[in-house]
């Protein structure tokens, strides 16, 4: 009798811990704080193995995060089956015919959890409540799994839309200077204010969704090889250059707000998955070269403090580079090597393409 009571309490505790972990992972913002932390433990277990198999340069594949997500639900359902199986076996004499082995209890609980009811054993007394609770919990977990998958897809779509738009102007992996030169080449400098505002909105949106469900951090971006850390680093570079380099007061405020939002996003997401900021070298020469190229198209502020800019960029990029390294993705580039014919090609490309499509104007 005492042994059965102990089995029942162990099964009840295991089921309770599992349900709490599922609820806090899927429903409660901020990730699970329960004892089990199944999803987080699976990531910690599989991430180094995955990197070792693929190599650090190749990073994580598109299938890593979906695989861990599916495995999380498999582990949760298995733990619930084990918990309710222990409770069913503890109450084995409340079934007709009585359960002979723990395997019978495990099978009975599993069939109830997946709501198929294949067992020919009829519950009675306390056994009815155990089977009813198992069926209810299984249905709840499967419903939450479908809802969570839809939320994941929606959040990834919102994140990747911003990344694709940025890569169209800034390249892949993106570069802040490439974006600025591209806008100058197509005479679209007036849109920089909108880009800074949209970048800030993107940082806030991604931070909110990924901080609520940290598992989203490991989902790879579709159609963007650089991934979201490179996009975040590019936006921080854009804010830094605009704030300190471009002599346009209308861009100064939006650049500061973008920088603050981006730093908050990088810091919070790094803390959630236990990534510590890494050292980033202060490259003043790179900044001087970037500003020199920028001066061809934009008015520059007088007396630029390149030492301050280099130091601030190293601080801004510390969390971003650590996140990129953790995910096996490339970090952002400040600029790419200049190609002499590229700017003329970009500037005239859209005009020449239109001219090619225009029909000849023949006199009547």
């Amino acid at each position: 009798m005492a042994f059965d009571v102990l089995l029942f309490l162990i099964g009840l505790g295991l089921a309770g811990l599992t349900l709490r972990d599922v609820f806090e992972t899927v429903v409660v913002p901020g990730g699970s704080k329960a004892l089990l932390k199944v999803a987080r433990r699976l990531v910690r277990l599989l991430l180094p193995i995955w990197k070792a198999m693929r190599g650090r340069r190749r990073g994580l594949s598109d299938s890593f995060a979906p695989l861990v997500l599916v495995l999380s639900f498999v582990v949760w359902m298995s733990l619930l089956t084990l918990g309710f199986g222990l409770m069913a076996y503890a109450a084995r004499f409340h079934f007709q015919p009585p359960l002979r082995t723990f395997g019978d209890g495990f099978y009975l609980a599993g069939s109830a959890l997946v709501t198929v009811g294949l067992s020919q054993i009829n519950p009675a007394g306390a056994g009815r409540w155990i089977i009813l609770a198992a069926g209810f919990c299984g249905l709840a977990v499967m419903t939450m799994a479908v809802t969570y998958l839809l939320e994941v897809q929606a959040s990834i779509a919102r994140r990747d839309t911003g990344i694709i738009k940025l890569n169209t102007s800034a390249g892949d992996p993106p570069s802040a200077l490439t974006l600025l030169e591209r806008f100058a080449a197509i005479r679209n400098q007036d849109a920089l204010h909108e880009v800074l505002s949209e970048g800030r909105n993107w940082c806030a949106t991604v931070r909110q969704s990924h901080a609520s469900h940290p598992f989203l951090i490991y989902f790879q971006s579709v159609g963007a090889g650089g991934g979201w850390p490179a996009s975040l680093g590019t936006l921080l570079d854009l804010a830094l250059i605009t704030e300190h380099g471009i002599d346009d007061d209308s861009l100064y405020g939006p650049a500061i707000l973008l920088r603050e939002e981006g730093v908050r996003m990088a810091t919070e997401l790094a803390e959630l998955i236990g990534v510590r900021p890494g050292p980033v070298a202060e490259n003043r020469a790179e900044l001087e070269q970037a500003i020199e190229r920028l001066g061809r198209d934009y008015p520059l502020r007088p007396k630029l403090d390149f030492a301050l800019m280099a130091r601030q960029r190293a601080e801004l990029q510390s969390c971003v580079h650590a996140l990129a390294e953790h995910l096996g993705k490339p970090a952002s580039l400040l600029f790419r090597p200049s190609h002499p014919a590229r700017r003329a090609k970009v500037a005239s490309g859209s005009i020449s393409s239109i001219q090619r499509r225009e029909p000849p104007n023949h006199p009547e």
Side-chain angles (χ1 to χ4, degrees):
M1 185 65 181
F3 178 71
D4 292 339
V5 172
L6 179 62
L7 283 182
F8 184 87
L9 292 178
I10 293 175
L12 181 63
L14 181 59
L17 290 174
T18 304
L19 290 173
R20 181 184 176 185
D21 191 39
V22 176
F23 182 78
E24 292 195 359
T25 301
V26 176
V27 180
V28 178
S32 176
K33 300 178 179 60
L35 180 63
L36 294 180
K37 297 182 178 66
V38 169
R40 185 178 301 180
R41 296 181 192 278
L42 283 175
V43 169
R44 291 179 178 176
L45 174 65
L46 297 178
L47 186 61
I49 299 175
W50 203 274
K51 285 184 177 181
M53 292 175 58
R54 289 178 53 85
R56 288 189 174 273
R57 291 186 178 181
R58 298 178 62 188
L60 299 180
S61 65
D62 296 338
S63 60
F64 173 76
L67 175 63
V68 175
L69 180 59
V70 171
L71 286 178
S72 297
F73 281 100
V74 170
V75 172
W76 282 325
M77 290 295 289
S78 300
L79 292 176
L80 284 175
T81 303
L82 178 60
F84 281 103
L86 289 172
M87 287 188 278
Y89 183 69
R92 55 190 176 276
F93 297 111
H94 291 262
F95 294 89
Q96 296 296 330
L99 303 179
R100 294 175 298 177
T101 63
F102 171 72
D104 293 338
F106 188 85
Y107 175 76
L108 185 62
S111 63
L113 279 166
V114 297
T115 65
V116 293
L118 296 176
S119 177
Q120 300 299 319
I121 300 175
N122 297 316
R128 294 179 177 178
W129 297 107
I130 295 174
I131 298 303
L132 182 63
F136 178 80
C137 292
L139 182 61
V141 171
M142 287 187 285
T143 302
M144 284 190 286
V146 175
T147 305
Y148 190 60
L149 288 175
L150 294 176
E151 176 64 26
V152 165
Q153 291 178 346
S155 299
I156 296 302
R158 289 193 297 268
R159 185 191 72 186
D160 289 356
T161 299
I163 295 175
I164 293 173
K165 290 175 65 177
L166 179 65
N167 289 354
T168 301
S169 303
D172 187 13
S175 160
L177 187 61
T178 300
L179 184 146
L180 291 168
E181 290 181 336
R182 167 71 171 166
F183 273 44
I186 62 176
R187 303 173 187 176
N188 198 33
Q189 293 98 321
D190 293 339
L192 282 178
H193 189 285
E194 182 181 355
V195 172
L196 295 172
S197 299
E198 285 190 1
R200 182 192 176 198
N201 293 335
W202 180 82
C203 290
T205 300
V206 175
R207 181 177 64 85
Q208 188 277 332
S209 62
H210 288 46
S212 298
H213 302 289
F215 194 69
L216 294 173
I217 295 174
Y218 294 95
F219 276 84
Q220 303 301 299
S221 298
V222 179
W228 66 264
S231 298
L232 175 58
T234 298
L235 291 175
L236 290 174
D237 282 340
L238 179 63
L240 178 71
I241 293 175
T242 305
E243 176 186 352
H244 292 281
I246 299 178
D247 190 10
D248 187 345
D249 290 339
S250 65
L251 301 176
Y252 184 74
I256 292 178
L257 294 175
L258 171 58
R259 171 172 57 82
E260 292 176 349
E261 196 67 54
V263 169
R264 188 176 180 183
M265 170 185 168
T267 303
E268 188 168 337
L269 296 187
E271 290 178 354
L272 280 174
I273 59 176
V275 174
R276 295 182 178 180
V280 178
E282 299 180 12
N283 196 333
R284 175 171 175 170
E286 188 180 46
L287 276 169
E288 290 177 351
Q289 184 178 353
I291 296 298
E292 180 183 357
R293 285 173 53 177
L294 191 66
R296 304 168 187 170
D297 303 304
Y298 296 88
L300 299 180
R301 296 186 181 276
K303 299 180 180 180
L304 296 177
D305 190 345
F306 289 104
L308 174 63
M309 293 177 63
R311 183 168 61 253
Q312 191 171 6
R313 183 176 188 269
E315 295 174 355
L316 293 176
Q317 296 292 337
S318 59
C319 280
V320 177
H321 282 216
L323 286 167
E325 175 68 19
H326 180 72
L327 299 176
K329 306 298 290 185
S332 61
L333 301 173
L334 183 59
F335 66 89
R336 293 184 177 85
S338 179
H339 299 282
R342 185 183 180 193
R343 291 168 51 79
K345 181 180 179 181
V346 172
S348 61
S350 57
I351 298 176
S352 61
S353 62
I354 294 174
Q355 290 175 344
R356 286 195 300 270
R357 291 195 299 269
E358 287 182 349
N361 187 15
H362 296 291
E364 296 180 359

